[in-house]
Amino acid sequence: MHVSNKQLAHLLRSVAAAYILTDVNRFRIIAYQKAADAVDSYNQEVYDQWENKGVDGILEMGGIGPTISQHLDQYFKNPHGSFIEEQLQSIPSPVYELMLAPGIGPKKAYRIVKEFGLSDPTTVFDDVKKIASEHKISVLDGFGEKSEEDVVQAINTHIGRLDKEERMALPEAYTLAMDVMNYMQKVPEVEHIEALGSLRRKVSTIGDIDLAIIAEEHTYEKIIAHFVSYPQTSTIESQGINKASVITKNGKRIDVRIVDKDRYGAMLQYFTGSKAHNIKLREYALKKGFSLNEFGIKHVKTGKINTFEREEDFYNFLGLQYVEPELREGSDEIKFAARKKLPELITTQDVRGEFHVHSSFPIEPSHDLGLHSFDEMLQEARNMHYEYLAFSEHNPSVSKHTPEEVIELVRNKKESFIELQKKYKDVLLFNSLEVDILPDGSLAIPQEATEYLDLCVVSIHSAFTQKRDIMTARILKALSYPKVKIFGHPTARLINKREEIDVDWDVIFKMAAQKNIALEINSFPDRLDLPDGLVRKALSYGCKFVIDTDAHKKEDMGLIMFGVAVARRGWLEKNDVINTKNKDEIIDWIRK
DNA sequence: GCCGTTTTCGGCCCGACTGTTTTCAGTCG
Ligand SMILES: Nc1nc2c(ncn2[C@H]2C[C@H](O)[C@@H](COP(=O)(O)OP(=O)(O)OP(=O)(O)O)O2)c(=O)[nH]1
Ligand SMILES: [Mg+2]
Ligand SMILES: [Mg+2]
Ligand SMILES: [Zn+2]
């Protein structure tokens, strides 16, 4: 039976909880928690990996070691009677559910479940609320009036989140962050405010908003008081001297940390994360005799503390290259930084054009047409100082046209480019299409019509759930047609809406590298496809990439920054990305 | 349970906040 990453992470956290409650070695507990974190941040389905490569497929992701991999292998084959199931059975199952409420961990959950003999995980939240309403929790050892209220509040927060997405798409997160930052800047004592955490690392989905503030120490109290009074606050999770957290009416958490200017560098480092990166960095520092925290670097022997206003100096002090936030995921970036071998990441300024925008040209496609005309899109390209642009509308609908009509439509488009190119001498035009990869791997366009194209983007818009071997063969076939230069939004995922296709990426990447077909990094915030993890994998096969916006209106062309963020998170340098090249190099690439 | 250009054994990040405590455990970032 298929196990989703979400279920798997919960499973591993449950084992960790069972171990906490049975007093197992604390580092073994941490190993299970780390494994759960790794599953959460992995952008392929671990179960699929296992299904096709076995234990090696699990080990490959990093973050899970040989023992847990073996246990998972056994669990996936048959959970009944498996080691993992056995561990879980030592604790009543409602504990694992109750733990999901924020602020309730294994110990509190167990205490309550045990005391009242709860046995049904499906009703545990209602059961506990009922018990609380009868004030039976406050009389327990270690509990009181306030903590009884907090339990109910935690359950309500959890339930309130159930029908919402767990993680925000980037634009939503930016909007929320901006709103809070604007609100905080009403306090004149706020010298600087900045979004850190996953937002600074530009992760594709954002769990909460993390803000760092610079201020003088005597103003902290005033600033914190202002923060928790944010109009959208629903509950104040915590309110301390230099940090506070609230949950908004939409169920979104906002964390704030305040620090003085002299120590901001260390705070930037800590609060940008990721957690895995921080732990690896701290372990690395310990070996060199230093202990790190969000305020500075302590020499363990002498106790001397160094402070840092700049984050770069913090890394350099440890003998490391500065690590760009997008690389701080706790994979192997610290090793590279120690050897001064980190990549020089691509920037938005490096992008000189793109290959996937939709115009309103009446190509009569089976999917959606763009909103703006060639002219309007080209004006935008000019504004962005692009040197070239490929129009890639969806192919003309094959069900509504004869092959001859399709050929006619494509030729019309090509002919209209002649005048257009004269008008826009500074932007080299390419006649392209985004062609459907049909379920059998053939392209939704007559071969003759492609003769009028300079290139085409091929992508999947149907039959997303084919089995891995069929899907792999389908894509290989599609990539073998002439004029195919770009594999568009390769996984076809829609964040929070549609899963990635299941395919043997090793085979696809090998073929793409060999045939000089670029993998698209689609910048649309609900796609971000290829996902960053696969970008890095493809890079190791020598693949090349294009960063496209898939713009359906001119304003969408500004989304390119999101695609660049994915590229950076995939460790790409300028040279790995085709649309950083000049016109002549592009023409060469298309001919190859 | 994991892992290795100083280790295959012996270490493993570090601190803030809360409630119920008379010194701390639990939970979280
Ligand atoms: N050293 C250390 N730092 C942590 C730990 N937990 C969190 N942090 C730091 C690094 C995180 O990026 C930062 C913000 O924490 P969050 O829980 O908000 O995580 P992050 O923003 O990375 O991901 P998110 O999208 O919110 O799930 O705080 C920890 O256990 N140890
Ligand atoms: Mg966060
Ligand atoms: Mg946070
Ligand atoms: Zn598409």
Side-chain angles (χ1 to χ4, degrees):
Chain A
M1 193 193 65
H2 190 273
V3 181
S4 71
N5 281 2
K6 193 180 161 182
Q7 292 168 322
L8 183 55
H10 180 61
L11 185 81
L12 291 163
R13 284 204 181 88
S14 299
V15 176
Y19 283 168
I20 286 171
L21 295 168
T22 50
D23 245 357
V24 170
N25 175 292
R26 68 188 197 91
F27 295 105
R28 197 197 300 175
I29 295 167
I30 290 170
Y32 277 87
Q33 288 167 338
K34 271 188 185 159
D37 290 345
V39 170
D40 265 336
S41 56
Y42 194 53
N43 50 33
Q44 287 176 266
E45 288 280 288
V46 177
Y47 184 89
D48 289 345
Q49 291 278 99
W50 167 80
E51 207 173 29
N52 293 283
K53 295 184 193 168
V55 172
D56 287 345
I58 303 174
L59 288 169
E60 192 182 286
M61 62 183 283
I64 300 186
T67 307
I68 297 180
S69 294
Q70 282 299 339
H71 290 327
L72 288 179
D73 181 64
Q74 185 199 26
Y75 181 86
F76 286 155
K77 280 176 184 153
N78 182 11
H80 303 297
S82 69
F83 176 86
I84 287 183
E85 201 191 59
E86 241 172 60
Q87 306 310 303
L88 294 180
Q89 279 165 353
S90 65
I91 302 297
S93 60
V95 170
Y96 307 127
E97 295 306 304
L98 192 52
M99 261 170 44
L100 293 172
I104 302 181
K107 301 254 171 137
K108 283 187 193 171
Y110 181 71
R111 190 83 181 75
I112 295 170
V113 167
K114 185 82 190 302
E115 187 70 32
F116 299 101
L118 305 180
S119 58
D120 186 350
T122 62
T123 62
V124 63
F125 295 117
D126 285 338
D127 295 344
V128 173
K129 276 173 78 169
K130 179 155 181 297
I131 293 164
S133 73
E134 295 159 356
H135 302 293
K136 289 182 186 161
I137 292 179
S138 56
V139 299
L140 299 182
D141 271 355
F143 285 89
E145 295 282 327
K146 185 66 171 71
S147 52
E148 185 176 77
E149 275 175 43
D150 289 347
V151 165
V152 174
Q153 182 60 58
I155 291 173
N156 287 338
T157 299
H158 174 67
I159 300 214
R161 281 173 172 170
L162 284 181
D163 58 342
K164 304 201 177 82
E165 302 303 346
E166 245 173 284
R167 301 180 61 82
M168 295 170 267
L170 274 169
E172 183 192 356
Y174 275 116
T175 304
L176 177 56
M178 282 309 300
D179 191 63
V180 185
M181 289 199 286
N182 288 336
Y183 169 77
M184 289 310 295
Q185 267 157 344
K186 289 181 191 160
V187 182
E189 286 85 354
V190 170
E191 291 170 30
H192 174 80
I193 182 163
E194 189 174 351
L196 304 180
S198 49
L199 203 50
R200 181 165 181 237
R201 303 198 311 281
K202 301 193 171 71
V203 184
S204 299
T205 62
I206 304 297
D208 69 358
I209 304 298
D210 303 295
L211 300 175
I213 290 173
I214 299 179
E216 286 178 24
E217 209 159 331
H218 66 275
T219 67
Y220 288 5
E221 200 179 336
K222 177 181 174 184
I223 293 170
I224 296 273
H226 181 74
F227 170 63
V228 299
S229 312
Y230 176 57
Q232 293 303 310
T233 297
S234 154
T235 58
I236 299 170
E237 283 288 291
S238 73
Q239 181 175 4
I241 293 161
N242 63 11
K243 65 183 271 193
S245 304
V246 304
I247 292 178
T248 68
K249 290 168 188 164
N250 280 330
K252 304 298 178 202
R253 183 182 175 110
I254 303 167
D255 293 321
V256 160
R257 299 264 345 210
I258 315 183
V259 72
D260 57 289
K261 190 161 184 277
D262 293 343
R263 297 186 292 175
Y264 191 59
M267 181 59 79
L268 271 174
Q269 194 293 309
Y270 155 76
F271 213 23
T272 297
S274 65
K275 176 179 172 178
H277 174 81
N278 285 359
I279 291 175
K280 285 199 167 159
L281 188 67
R282 288 170 181 207
E283 284 172 346
Y284 172 85
L286 269 184
K287 285 185 197 157
K288 301 194 138 199
F290 296 102
S291 172
L292 315 183
N293 64 24
E294 61 266 55
F295 305 113
I297 299 182
K298 183 170 84 181
H299 190 232
V300 176
K301 263 208 189 118
T302 61
K304 183 183 177 334
I305 291 171
N306 282 275
T307 60
F308 301 86
E309 196 175 330
R310 284 159 27 98
E311 192 182 35
E312 192 171 348
D313 297 334
F314 188 101
Y315 281 99
N316 293 343
F317 183 92
L318 297 168
L320 297 172
Q321 230 179 333
Y322 175 72
V323 183
E324 298 283 355
E326 292 94 329
L327 299 181
R328 301 184 198 170
E329 294 302 332
S331 58
D332 45 6
E333 67 274 9
I334 291 167
K335 250 182 252 162
F336 279 77
R339 295 181 196 141
K340 314 258 191 276
K341 287 274 164 60
L342 286 173
E344 201 172 305
L345 300 180
I346 180 181
T347 69
T348 307
Q349 287 75 44
D350 293 328
V351 175
R352 298 203 198 181
E354 68 154 301
F355 297 98
H356 191 173
V357 302
H358 296 256
S359 75
S360 58
F361 182 83
I363 197 99
E364 299 170 29
S366 47
H367 307 292
D368 47 350
L369 204 59
L371 182 68
H372 289 120
S373 65
F374 288 144
D375 271 288
E376 289 165 309
M377 298 299 277
L378 279 163
Q379 284 293 347
E380 191 66 26
R382 237 180 207 171
N383 292 342
M384 297 180 73
H385 307 289
Y386 279 175
E387 297 165 31
Y388 44 85
L389 187 67
F391 283 100
S392 300
E393 298 79 11
H394 289 290
N395 56 270
S397 161
V398 276
S399 56
K400 294 191 190 107
H401 300 99
T402 65
E404 289 70 28
E405 286 169 336
V406 171
I407 293 165
E408 185 65 15
L409 282 163
V410 176
R411 204 179 51 187
N412 284 348
K413 185 183 161 199
K414 183 175 174 67
E415 278 168 5
S416 67
F417 271 28
I418 296 169
E419 282 306 304
L420 204 62
Q421 187 66 83
K422 283 183 192 157
K423 196 167 156 195
Y424 294 91
K425 293 204 169 67
D426 49 334
V427 183
L428 182 61
L429 295 179
F430 294 108
N431 185 25
S432 172
L433 284 177
E434 182 186 10
V435 181
D436 288 342
I437 300 175
L438 297 174
D440 68 352
S442 59
L443 298 185
I445 190 166
Q447 189 106 351
E448 272 182 80
T450 65
E451 284 167 26
Y452 297 100
L453 297 173
D454 297 311
L455 74 154
C456 67
V457 180
V458 293
S459 45
I460 291 180
H461 296 109
S462 65
F464 301 105
T465 57
Q466 287 176 333
K467 289 261 166 283
R468 172 177 283 221
D469 49 344
I470 294 175
M471 186 63 91
T472 304
R474 173 188 186 184
I475 294 169
L476 287 181
K477 181 174 173 190
L479 297 185
S480 67
Y481 286 91
K483 297 285 169 83
V484 173
K485 295 304 297 181
I486 298 170
F487 182 19
H489 47 71
T491 77
R493 75 165 174 181
L494 291 176
I495 289 174
N496 285 337
K497 286 196 197 72
R498 187 168 66 216
E499 289 300 313
E500 299 175 3
I501 57 170
D502 185 11
V503 60
D504 190 339
W505 290 111
D506 301 83
V507 172
I508 303 297
F509 293 159
K510 247 177 245 171
M511 162 105 163
Q514 181 222 323
K515 293 207 58 167
N516 233 307
I517 292 172
L519 302 168
E520 181 178 74
I521 296 175
N522 190 297
S523 306
F524 240 81
D526 63 348
R527 286 197 185 271
L528 301 179
D529 185 10
L530 270 187
D532 44 39
L534 283 171
V535 170
R536 190 162 180 208
K537 181 174 189 155
L539 180 65
S540 73
Y541 282 97
C543 288
K544 295 293 177 192
F545 303 83
V546 301
I547 305 174
D548 288 327
T549 63
D550 201 353
H552 281 63
K553 53 184 189 296
K554 60 182 186 188
E555 295 83 7
D556 289 345
M557 289 171 72
L559 297 172
I560 196 82
M561 60 185 194
F562 293 111
V564 171
V566 173
R568 290 168 62 86
R569 290 179 52 78
W571 292 54
L572 298 193
E573 301 191 318
K574 184 179 169 188
N575 257 335
D576 303 313
V577 178
I578 303 278
N579 48 329
T580 63
K581 311 272 182 198
N582 66 33
K583 286 181 195 181
D584 292 336
E585 291 169 307
I586 296 296
I587 291 169
D588 276 354
W589 169 65
I590 286 175
R591 286 207 188 115
K592 253 194 280 188

